[in-house]
Amino acid sequence: GFKTREEWQEKEFKQAAERRVQAGLILSELSKLEKIEVTKDELDARHAEMLAQYPNMKDELDKPEARRDLANRLITEKTVDRLVELNAK
């Protein structure tokens, strides 16, 4: 058990964060191995979806870092889809 709530949070949050980082690194490496990329059209379509869903955040969504984040999310989604496809065989 844990002696304090803080001890529990530190241990649990640290483990969860480590797992997320590991998963992200694995997905990143797999996306490179599988040559998974996002096209400009895919990025533009997702950007348009986000603008439609969050019209009051246009300024934020139009920033280069937001578009990079969207591209990374799309690559992650496509990589997970590829993993599912590979495991279905």
Side-chain angles (χ1 to χ4, degrees), residues 19-33:
R19 283 193 297 270
R20 279 193 306 275
V21 168
Q22 289 170 341
L25 291 171
I26 290 167
L27 286 172
S28 175
E29 198 59 34
L30 181 62
S31 69
K32 290 175 190 169
L33 288 171

Side-chain angles (χ1 to χ4, degrees), residues 9-71:
Q9 285 178 326
E10 183 177 328
K11 185 167 176 76
E12 289 298 311
F13 292 154
K14 183 178 180 188
Q15 287 178 348
E18 287 172 350
R19 283 193 297 270
R20 279 193 306 275
V21 168
Q22 289 170 341
L25 291 171
I26 290 167
L27 286 172
S28 175
E29 198 59 34
L30 181 62
S31 69
K32 290 175 190 169
L33 288 171
E34 292 291 319
K35 297 178 175 56
I36 295 172
E37 297 178 348
V38 175
T39 66
K40 183 181 181 322
D41 288 344
E42 289 170 324
L43 183 56
D44 288 346
R46 178 60 61 93
H47 184 255
E49 287 174 21
M50 296 295 288
L51 286 173
Q53 192 171 358
Y54 305 103
N56 59 333
M57 294 187 65
K58 183 179 182 342
D59 290 342
E60 283 296 312
L61 291 169
D62 285 344
K63 291 181 179 178
E65 55 270 19
R67 290 185 70 87
R68 261 194 315 276
D69 185 50
L70 278 178

